[in-house]
Amino acid sequence: MTEESIGAELLRRHSFVYIFSASSAYSAVNYYEMMKCRVGPDEPIVSLRLAVNGIVQGVGFRPFVYQLAHHYGLKGKVANTSSGVTIHIEGSEQRIQAFVQDLTGKSPPLAHITEISSSYEPATGHERFTIQASQRRSSRRTLISPDMAICDDCLRELFDPKDRRYKYPFINCTNCGPRHTIIDDIPYDRPNTSMKHFKMCQQCQKEYDDPVNRRFHAQPNACAACGPNVALYDNRRASVLARDLIKRAAELLKKGYIVATKGLGGFHLAVDAENSDAVIRLRQRKHREEKPLALMSYDLDRIRRYAHIESDEEVLLTSPQRPVVLLKKKYANPLSPEISPRNRNFGVMLPYTPLHYLLLSYDFTALVMTSGNISEEPIAIDNQDAFERLGDIADYFLIHNRDIYLRSDDSIVRRVDGATRFIRRSRGYIPTPVFLKEEVPQILACGAELKNTVCLTKGKNAFLSQHMGDLENLETYRFFELTVRHMKRILDIAPQIAAYDLHPDYLSTRYAQGLKGIKRIAVQHHHAHIVSCMAENRLNGPVIGLSFDGTGYGTDGRIWGGEALIVETHQFTRAAHLAYLPMPGGAAAIREPWRMAVSYLYNAFGEGFLNLKLPLFQDVEKKKIKIILHMISKKVNSPQTSSLGRLFDGIAAILGIRKRVAYEGQAAMELEMTMGKETEESYDYEWERGKDSYQVLVHPIVCGVVRDMEKGLEASDISSKFHVTLIRLFSDLCTVLRQETGLDRVVLSGGVFQNATLLAGLRKALEEKDFQVFTHSLVPCNDGGISLGQAVVAAAIAKSLD
């Protein structure tokens, strides 16, 4: 092979490899030339320094480099730095070439290389290859690995009676175990983690120091002799004594007790999923009336007893991230009907810690494993905090003494329309960044109110935080502040810009507005939704953006949520929206969808709707309805809304499916779950040209629904027709907008697109009309992904103002 062909091959195989001299980049051929340094009469020696960035700490990368260097007979050294990993390598050019190729092609399973920079260095005559102590530098650019599920090797050892870690609930290696939740600072070394409190025993230290051992430099490495241990208490903090505490906890669960169990990112509240009395008691104590509860089963065979598993869902269930996966129920199943009432799905995960596997090994079909918190508060991570906050819920506490530095809820995903869709992106996936198309300034985006996440940017990386919940109380706000501080420290980001939602009363908005010495940029809610999807699909505008959700503060001070926008990253225009209607009682109309039903019916029929024979009037007193009518007519506490989410609520209430909700989105979800057989029928729809945009009229749809009810059509068939109507309406509307703008790319975002029928149906309808359609697959379509859009919009606005 010629030198030129070697250079071309390097360039082809390593398109992400950036090669720098002191002042300029070199071609691959120059790279080949400049690395050669003849130290003897016969053999050319390459002396090369590599700086590797990405997820390369805490994932066995240095041991991998060490073993790779020995495999090729190379000399030099490798070390962790605050920027990633540095490698100095010396040897023949052919061996160096093979080393560089394998560095990326055969890296450890949890490693993710984003960039390699290389530079010439004179050969120093290393006698062997060594792993050096970590180096601190002022720049911190390394990516931190997410927490990962126990690997197959550790799982085999866990249940091997001959292994010294038999049934040890904290077994781990470089390929699995805690990462992000135990890190206090970087580099990722034991003194910077919560494992600093545990000195390794002689055997563990020997493994840690052995480059050919799977636990070489595994920072959480430990065993029963030197590492963390479990303890069992009752809710009065009295210690429960037993030879096998995990077995004792399993016995308590089988008797129907609620056991708070400390996991990887926080506490779970666990009960036997086959025990309806225990599930009901958990719901009552936790104040979680109807929202589905997550399940955990020991293996796939047990999951198949109560749920259907498709092949792509099996891949997700068994992945090292171990998310909760939404699976279709088997209706002849042994589990309590109280786990997921009025829902076709179960949310299921496999165990991801050794402790989980040990607990579930005692022949449970499934355990309910729901977040260890009182509803609407952050999950507990500290033992004492758990006793205080969960003492009135849990009967017993299975705890351990390895500290959790940063809480992280379970991630939730669903397979829809051929892709994985995030409902919640948290444990197992954060803090892996979304990789942006262009470099942006260092920005803090503070997110929305519901399903809050924050986003910090650096270079081409956008780091979304874990799910923090609804930012509506002091406890969650403190979690929000702590997360911002923690992320800024471990990512070494000093934001120059703060981005926030237009809504003046969001706590995230007030936080951003209170920051000093920083540029502050407000971003409209639905603009951010569309740009978040554009960012993960690496799109530039303009595009047609359909942004559908429940609530978002508009530029006119009204509540938006059924928006068709023409979007560029730095600006947007509102092309169309659902016609405004009153939202009587404001936030009360979200909790009580019957109020929106009254608003839609009054808009469609006037006061004559009171003479209709609807299920609504069987459960809601006419006196209350007349009060709502008075509020609407007098414009008392009845803000105007264009929300598609509220339309779903209103239709669900008109059909008698759901008049009050126990959790956000419940009415809309149950309306989708009510759908019957497929239909080609739809209701009439129309829009009219307003001053600046099209207004989609709602009353033709409402009138059609009521007429079908009067004819005796089942709610399931009406729900199907309603969904078909929305798909046809918005695909036709996009055709009109294409005729006016010439745009043929449509971006879909917003919480309403968690509706699988609408997402898949609208994508198909648009593609049949020759549109290119872009959807979310890296971040949630709901408000959990909006901070990404805020950051990218703020960067574009700042750039346009420079």
Side-chain angles (χ1 to χ4, degrees):
M1 181 179 285
T2 66
E3 292 181 357
E4 188 168 352
S5 64
I6 290 173
E9 178 70 5
L10 281 171
L11 194 60
R12 183 184 72 80
R13 297 194 183 192
H14 305 288
S15 58
F16 60 88
V17 177
Y18 299 91
I19 305 150
F20 296 92
S21 67
S23 60
S24 62
Y26 283 75
S27 71
V29 175
N30 288 335
Y31 157 75
Y32 177 85
E33 278 296 327
M34 68 184 291
M35 294 302 110
K36 291 198 300 183
C37 174
R38 289 188 178 274
V39 294
D42 300 316
E43 185 180 10
I45 295 297
V46 170
S47 178
L48 182 66
R49 181 186 180 276
L50 298 168
V52 186
N53 294 327
I55 300 176
V56 290
Q57 292 190 17
V59 294
F61 194 77
R62 286 181 299 167
F64 160 71
V65 171
Y66 176 92
Q67 293 172 28
L68 192 64
H70 276 263
H71 174 75
Y72 286 110
L74 301 172
K75 308 295 193 298
K77 60 185 178 181
V78 60
N80 277 348
T81 72
S82 294
S83 299
V85 166
T86 60
I87 305 166
H88 184 98
I89 200 82
E90 296 180 1
S92 71
E93 63 268 22
Q94 290 85 2
R95 292 174 182 269
I96 289 287
Q97 179 187 350
F99 174 89
V100 172
Q101 291 172 357
D102 285 356
L103 192 67
T104 56
K106 298 180 180 179
S107 58
L110 300 187
H112 183 87
I113 297 173
T114 59
E115 179 184 3
I116 298 179
S117 61
S118 59
S119 60
Y120 168 74
E121 288 187 348
T124 57
H126 286 275
E127 295 182 359
R128 61 187 183 278
F129 195 91
T130 59
I131 295 179
Q132 302 289 296
S134 296
Q135 305 166 9
R136 279 189 174 273
R137 296 186 179 176
S138 59
S139 171
R140 303 183 182 192
R141 295 192 299 151
T142 190
L143 301 182
I144 297 167
S145 170
D147 303 290
M148 288 296 172
I150 180 174
C151 68
D152 290 342
D153 290 328
C154 285
L155 187 59
R156 280 192 293 270
E157 293 171 350
L158 180 68
F159 289 105
D160 181 359
K162 298 178 181 178
D163 192 276
R164 75 184 189 91
R165 291 187 176 86
Y166 175 57
K167 289 191 173 183
Y168 180 57
F170 304 97
I171 187 172
N172 67 87
C173 69
T174 55
N175 296 323
C176 67
R179 300 289 191 277
H180 176 246
T181 52
I182 64 169
I183 295 174
D184 185 52
D185 204 349
I186 54 175
Y188 176 65
D189 287 323
R190 197 175 180 104
N192 292 327
T193 74
S194 59
M195 289 299 295
K196 64 187 176 185
H197 305 293
F198 302 96
K199 183 179 180 180
M200 282 181 280
C201 66
Q202 186 176 357
Q203 284 180 287
C204 287
Q205 188 69 52
K206 183 179 179 181
E207 294 169 333
Y208 184 90
D209 294 333
D210 182 359
V212 298
N213 192 286
R214 200 176 80 250
R215 294 186 171 89
F216 179 58
H217 282 226
Q219 304 307 334
N221 188 35
C223 69
C226 64
N229 53 71
V230 297
L232 183 63
Y233 293 85
D234 65 20
N235 58 8
R236 292 166 298 182
R237 307 193 191 191
S239 178
V240 177
L241 301 178
R243 184 174 182 178
D244 187 334
L245 294 175
I246 296 175
K247 181 180 180 181
R248 179 63 180 140
E251 292 169 349
L252 293 168
L253 287 164
K254 286 185 177 293
K255 291 179 180 179
Y257 289 108
I258 301 169
V259 179
T261 306
K262 189 175 182 181
L264 203 57
F267 275 81
H268 286 111
L269 292 165
V271 294
D272 184 350
E274 295 184 85
N275 188 326
S276 280
D277 289 340
V279 176
I280 291 169
R281 190 162 57 251
L282 173 61
R283 284 195 177 279
Q284 291 171 342
R285 293 183 185 178
K286 186 176 162 66
H287 306 297
R288 184 165 175 160
E289 300 168 18
E290 297 178 78
K291 193 173 183 179
L293 300 168
L295 297 168
M296 181 181 285
S297 288
Y298 183 85
D299 57 21
L300 294 172
D301 287 340
R302 286 173 175 80
I303 295 175
R304 289 191 178 96
R305 296 178 188 175
Y306 57 85
H308 299 279
I309 308 175
E310 300 295 334
S311 57
D312 48 7
E313 293 165 339
E314 181 175 332
V315 171
L316 285 169
L317 285 166
T318 57
S319 69
Q321 290 82 12
R322 288 293 202 280
V324 175
V325 183
L326 298 193
L327 303 175
K328 289 183 180 179
K329 289 180 180 177
K330 289 183 176 177
Y331 280 95
N333 71 71
L335 304 188
S336 166
E338 302 300 323
I339 290 169
S340 184
R342 304 182 73 172
N343 195 309
R344 295 178 183 176
N345 301 319
F346 285 127
V348 187
M349 58 185 156
L350 287 172
Y352 52 88
T353 71
L355 190 152
H356 291 149
Y357 269 106
L358 292 169
L359 192 61
L360 281 153
S361 69
Y362 292 98
D363 198 29
F364 293 97
T365 299
L367 291 177
V368 168
M369 295 288 265
T370 189
S371 300
N373 60 350
I374 300 172
S375 291
E376 311 307 328
E377 291 186 2
I379 58 172
I381 58 173
D382 175 78
N383 294 337
Q384 294 307 313
D385 180 52
F387 281 125
E388 292 170 9
R389 288 205 285 136
L390 306 180
D392 292 333
I393 303 176
D395 301 304
Y396 291 90
F397 290 77
L398 183 62
I399 67 174
H400 60 73
N401 57 344
R402 186 180 67 200
D403 291 337
I404 299 170
Y405 282 157
L406 199 64
R407 60 177 52 86
S408 189
D409 282 272
D410 296 315
S411 295
I412 306 174
V413 299
R414 183 184 188 186
R415 288 292 296 182
V416 176
D417 199 26
T420 300
R421 316 289 179 176
F422 281 94
I423 297 170
R424 178 197 294 165
R425 183 178 183 267
S426 200
R427 177 195 51 77
Y429 296 95
I430 55 97
T432 304
V434 174
F435 299 106
L436 303 176
K437 187 175 183 179
E438 299 175 352
E439 289 199 0
V440 297
Q442 295 189 14
I443 297 171
L444 166 65
C446 297
E449 181 175 65
L450 301 180
K451 301 176 180 64
N452 182 267
T453 64
V454 298
C455 178
L456 284 99
T457 61
K458 189 174 188 179
K460 291 185 178 181
N461 295 329
F463 300 92
L464 273 75
S465 73
Q466 70 276 44
H467 166 84
M468 287 185 275
D470 297 344
L471 203 55
E472 297 178 323
N473 55 59
L474 181 60
E475 291 79 8
T476 309
Y477 183 70
R478 286 172 175 165
F479 177 26
F480 168 92
E481 291 182 308
L482 175 113
T483 299
V484 172
R485 290 195 301 269
H486 188 86
M487 290 181 69
K488 286 166 64 177
R489 180 173 69 255
I490 67 171
L491 299 172
D492 192 32
I493 293 177
Q496 306 157 11
I497 300 169
Y500 58 94
D501 194 275
L502 281 180
H503 199 298
D505 295 328
Y506 284 176
L507 291 178
S508 55
T509 297
R510 293 182 177 181
Y511 173 87
Q513 291 175 334
L515 296 174
K516 305 298 182 183
I518 189 172
K519 184 184 292 185
R520 298 184 294 271
I521 297 176
V523 180
Q524 199 282 322
H525 190 90
H526 301 94
H527 184 200
H529 263 311
I530 298 300
V531 173
S532 70
C533 189
M534 291 170 64
E536 69 167 87
N537 286 284
R538 303 171 75 84
L539 297 178
N540 292 324
V543 300
I544 298 171
L546 299 183
S547 185
F548 300 154
D549 61 6
T551 301
Y553 196 83
T555 55
D556 58 1
R558 296 176 177 180
I559 300 171
W560 292 9
E563 312 304 312
L565 311 175
I566 306 301
V567 178
E568 297 184 68
T569 309
H570 67 291
Q571 64 184 6
F572 74 96
T573 57
R574 195 182 192 196
H577 60 88
L578 291 186
Y580 284 122
L581 281 176
M583 190 174 161
I590 300 174
R591 298 187 296 271
E592 299 181 338
W594 69 265
R595 293 172 180 251
M596 289 308 304
V598 170
S599 185
Y600 289 121
L601 290 167
Y602 181 62
N603 172 257
F605 298 99
E607 291 194 9
F609 86 89
L610 292 168
N611 300 319
L612 298 171
K613 294 182 179 180
L614 298 173
L616 178 68
F617 304 134
Q618 298 173 12
D619 298 328
V620 181
E621 298 176 12
K622 281 204 171 182
K623 180 181 178 181
K624 288 185 176 181
I625 292 174
K626 288 183 177 179
I627 292 172
I628 295 301
L629 289 176
H630 180 76
M631 292 172 65
I632 291 172
S633 61
K634 298 298 182 181
K635 300 181 179 179
V636 176
N637 191 23
S638 298
Q640 297 285 302
T641 183
S642 63
S643 167
L644 184 57
R646 299 288 80 80
L647 178 59
F648 269 90
D649 287 354
I651 297 298
I654 291 170
L655 290 174
I657 294 170
R658 177 61 62 177
K659 298 174 182 66
R660 296 172 178 83
V661 298
Y663 57 91
E664 191 255 341
Q666 183 180 14
M669 183 191 70
E670 291 186 3
L671 179 60
E672 182 189 9
M673 296 293 167
T674 302
M675 287 179 60
K677 61 182 182 295
E678 291 186 10
T679 181
E680 292 298 317
E681 295 184 68
S682 65
Y683 296 113
D684 293 336
Y685 53 86
E686 60 180 288
W687 52 79
E688 60 185 20
R689 182 55 120 163
K691 181 181 178 182
D692 301 312
S693 61
Y694 291 105
Q695 295 185 41
V696 178
L697 304 179
V698 176
H699 68 264
I701 301 174
V702 175
C703 287
V705 168
V706 172
R707 281 196 300 269
D708 275 350
M709 294 178 72
E710 291 176 330
K711 294 175 186 176
L713 202 66
E714 293 291 333
S716 59
D717 296 322
I718 294 173
S719 176
S720 296
K721 284 181 69 173
F722 175 69
H723 281 81
V724 171
T725 302
L726 295 180
I727 290 166
R728 291 180 178 171
L729 188 166
F730 288 109
S731 60
D732 286 350
L733 180 60
C734 285
T735 301
V736 171
L737 296 179
R738 176 168 59 188
Q739 291 169 352
E740 295 180 357
T741 64
L743 300 175
D744 64 358
R745 295 183 299 168
V746 180
V747 174
L748 309 180
S749 188
V752 169
F753 284 110
Q754 289 180 179
N755 182 310
T757 303
L758 183 64
L759 175 63
L762 188 52
R763 182 202 57 78
K764 180 181 178 183
L766 288 166
E767 289 183 347
E768 287 175 350
K769 294 177 182 288
D770 295 324
F771 284 97
Q772 297 180 68
V773 183
F774 298 90
T775 59
H776 287 280
S777 59
L778 298 179
V779 301
C781 66
N782 59 37
D783 285 3
I786 206 168
S787 59
L788 171 62
Q790 288 177 340
V792 177
V793 171
I797 291 174
K799 183 177 180 180
S800 69
L801 295 176
D802 287 344

